[in-house]
Amino acid sequence: MHLRAVFRILGVLLMAFSLTMLPPLGVSLYYQDGTWLPFTEGFVVILVTGLAVFAIAGKEKPALRLRDGFLIVAMFWVVLSAAAAIPLLVAGRPDLSTTDALFEAVSGLTTTGATILINLDTYPRSILYYRQQLQWLGGMGIIVLAVAVLPMLGVGGMQLYRAETPGPVKDNKLSPRIAQTAKWLWMVYLGMTVACGFAYWGAGMDPFDAIGHAFSTVAIGGFSTHDASLGYYSLIGLEGAGIIEMVAVFFMFIAGANFALHFAAFYPLSRWKPPSFRLYLRDSEFRAYSMGLLLLIVFVVARLIQSGQYEDMSEAVTKGLFQAVSMATTTGFTTDNYSAWPGALPVLLILASFVGGCAGSTGGGMKVIRWLLIYKQGRREVIKLVHPSAEIPVKLGDKAVPSRVTEAVWGFFSVYVLLFGVMMVMMMATGLDQVTAFAAVTATLNNLGPGLGDVTANFREINDTAKWVSIAAMLLGRLEIFTLFVLVTPTFWRR
């Protein structure tokens, strides 16, 4: 374990993160909302802390090991969350406790979208922008961005990439060099954000809201600049409200797909060739993701029409379509009070978040690829009951999946279920009712945001102990459990 090297990189990453205080500072000065000081204080404190940590580490530049990568990722997310909470804690508007400020910061960086804030429309614009920016930065992972500049320090970054990248198949790279891989992923991410922002603007949003909602849409975060989320535009009677919702549906859908797949499909444009859309159809996970989402949409819309929840059939279609995509991709935007929908729809939408987006996306949940592998392996076991001697490999496309991958998927699934049960019991022990406890763990561990019961709209009313459990759940969900769990094993610390 090279602790000096770990602290050296942590210091550099903190110094880099201090620069993210400057855009909201600029927003505050532009709108003259009087909240420039908290971001100035945040910038100074984080920068000085990063310099101090960097100085303590010295000039040692040993090669990083895999264990060092896990430690850096875990430490950085914990320290980063605390640093991100500074402006929220000292701003005064909103007036937050330490627990609430940390909850909001963690929710933003993990792209969960759960909030303890109300009356958002009355807050300074710099605070609203800052929340949206936190989600955008967390969407692809601060570490992946940092990997692109680590070679300048003389340190390799492959270990960080392996620890940060979601999904069970982590060894696939877009390029032989990890720095180039990170840059390409960010190019796709940035390009998608710009396109989403212009689409929102063209649909009728003002530039401030368009930028903010583009950040949270592409990051699959769910934070909004309004209490009513995207339903705000229908409430004020904006002519393009329906178009805004459809823009959100489109970008939530593509943000829930594997970003490496997006890159592979559109890379031919760099050589003046047409995009290769066939790659999407060939990808087993994308096909399963699209089909599962389509079935959910059809069921939700049909149930809304059958129940007469909305007098206008077109409204039932748009509301059902939007909420199904939002919840299934773990974005968490809302246009209506879905918890009041008939029958099993509210629970079904919450359960859809357990699947979440594709591996390599900004979505939460257990990821489509894991559920697809579980289905394929279960199907294989049923067939082997009839043909015990048959050799039936689990395949994704035309390739057999190594047994170590399927074993890892089942290991993840078992730990996930066990952890969910433990956290739900902990929530209930703090005094939450069963529905609220179940929904709170689901919303945070799956990085979804909205829930049911007392956490349908926000987490403001639950007690501080439950909020700390939620904070842990959000971090575990963002780093897919094992990245943090590995740190508490004796094997990790053994020489």
Side-chain angles (χ1 to χ4, degrees), residues 125 196-211 213 226 230 232-234 236-248:
R125 288 209 160 190
C196 184
F198 275 111
Y200 276 140
W201 186 28
M205 282 189 184
D206 63 60
F208 179 82
D209 276 2
I211 294 172
H213 285 93
H226 305 285
L230 289 187
Y232 166 82
Y233 301 99
S234 296
I236 65 173
L238 184 68
E239 186 176 348
I243 300 176
I244 288 175
E245 292 178 14
M246 292 306 103
V247 168

Side-chain angles (χ1 to χ4, degrees), residues 34 38 80 110 127 151 218 238 241 278 294 332 373 386 472:
L80 174 63
T110 57
I127 295 294
V218 175
L238 184 68
R278 290 183 179 179
L294 179 61
L373 287 174
V386 181

Side-chain angles (χ1 to χ4, degrees), residues 424 432-440 452-455:
M424 182 174 171
L432 300 186
D433 62 84
Q434 295 177 353
V435 172
T436 301
F438 170 81
L452 297 173
D454 294 341
V455 294

